[in-house]
């Protein structure tokens, strides 16, 4: 039921996006999160948390930030299937969300306090800690009245902790954690290449 809207928007004969796997494809005990950089009509970052068997999703025009001073608008979109976390590539012209998709960051998360993410979601305030390659530490997602009528607008905010970074600039992190590729390389169909990254997100060739 939760994925009805996702399926309705897509023609799986034309888009390489997954139609939804029967089984959870990830081995982690903890729920996963993924951030996909998406060069669609407007460039944005899709922030997704595994909740109740699907990826609950938000589109953030400016992407997540490690700077606690940033309040990043995140508009909730349709739930995506769990295996969407592995999707990187090109959604063809004429299809919903046409453009290049990068797996920008991925990892696991835990809610703080450790109560149900579904309950927090329904209350409009989610607090969680991310364990990703680029994003780490505490964040909150808070429902807000900002944005247009009927928009499900939230704010994504970094909490103050040792992972907070006041000089954060998402533009400096333009590589896939899945294939090492930049948006341009994905768009041109370049093969995957190794990029070793430190936990601070700096590239080491
Ligand atoms: Mn998107």
């Amino acid at each position: 039921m939760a994925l009805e809207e996702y399926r309705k928007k897509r023609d799986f004969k034309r888009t390489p996006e997954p139609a939804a796997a029967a089984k959870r494809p990830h081995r982690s005990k903890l729920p996963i999160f993924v951030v996909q950089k998406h060069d669609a009509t407007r460039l944005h970052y899709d922030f997704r948390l595994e909740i109740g068997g699907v990826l609950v999703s938000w589109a953030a025009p400016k992407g997540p930030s490690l700077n606690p001073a940033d309040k990043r608008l995140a508009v909730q979109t349709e739930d995506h299937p769990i295996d969407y976390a592995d999707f990187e590539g090109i959604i063809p012209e004429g299809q919903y969300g046409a453009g290049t998709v990068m797996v920008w960051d991925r990892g696991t998360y835990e809610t703080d306090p450790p109560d149900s993410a579904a309950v927090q979601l329904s209350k409009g305030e989610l607090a969680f800690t991310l364990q990703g390659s680029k994003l780490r530490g505490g964040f909150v997602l808070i429902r807000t009245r900002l944005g247009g009528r009927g928009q499900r607008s939230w704010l994504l905010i970094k909490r103050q902790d040792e992972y907070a970074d006041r000089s954060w600039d998402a533009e400096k992190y333009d590589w896939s954690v899945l294939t090492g590729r930049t948006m341009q390389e994905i768009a041109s169909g370049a093969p995957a290449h190794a990029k070793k990254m430190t936990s601070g997100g700096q590239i080491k060739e």
Side-chain angles (χ1 to χ4, degrees), residues 38 44 46 48 59:
H38 187 185
H44 62 273
D46 290 298
R48 314 187 197 278

Side-chain angles (χ1 to χ4, degrees), residues 36 38 40 44-46 48 59 77 80 84 97 101:
Q36 277 148 322
H38 187 185
H44 62 273
Y45 293 74
D46 290 298
R48 314 187 197 278
T77 58
H80 280 51
Y84 206 89
V101 177

Side-chain angles (χ1 to χ4, degrees), residues 63-70 72 104-105 130 133-139 156-170 173 199-201:
S65 173
L66 290 186
N67 185 349
D70 290 335
R72 292 292 167 82
W104 184 84
D105 199 15
L130 299 179
S133 300
K134 299 172 186 173
L135 300 178
R136 283 164 191 259
F139 289 79
L156 177 62
I157 306 165
K158 179 78 191 75
R159 283 185 292 163
Q160 196 60 253
D161 59 23
E162 75 250 52
Y163 299 108
D165 176 5
R166 299 216 163 254
S167 63
W168 170 261
D169 177 4
Y173 296 80
S199 60

Side-chain angles (χ1 to χ4, degrees), residues 35-127:
V35 182
Q36 277 148 322
K37 191 171 178 180
H38 187 185
D39 192 8
T41 312
R42 263 191 233 166
L43 181 81
H44 62 273
Y45 293 74
D46 290 298
F47 183 82
R48 314 187 197 278
L49 295 174
E50 179 184 6
I51 299 173
V54 295
L55 293 173
V56 177
S57 298
W58 291 263
K62 290 185 179 174
S65 173
L66 290 186
N67 185 349
D70 290 335
K71 294 177 172 62
R72 292 292 167 82
L73 177 69
V75 178
Q76 196 176 350
T77 58
E78 77 275 19
D79 295 344
H80 280 51
I82 301 283
D83 45 340
Y84 206 89
D86 298 319
F87 177 67
E88 178 171 288
I90 300 162
I91 302 172
E93 271 315 308
Q95 298 306 298
Y96 181 73
T100 307
V101 177
M102 169 197 282
V103 178
W104 184 84
D105 199 15
R106 207 166 62 170
T108 58
Y109 80 94
E110 290 176 88
T111 48
D112 320 308
D115 53 359
S116 154
V119 169
Q120 291 193 30
L121 186 72
S122 66
K123 286 181 180 164
E125 187 163 343
L126 263 162

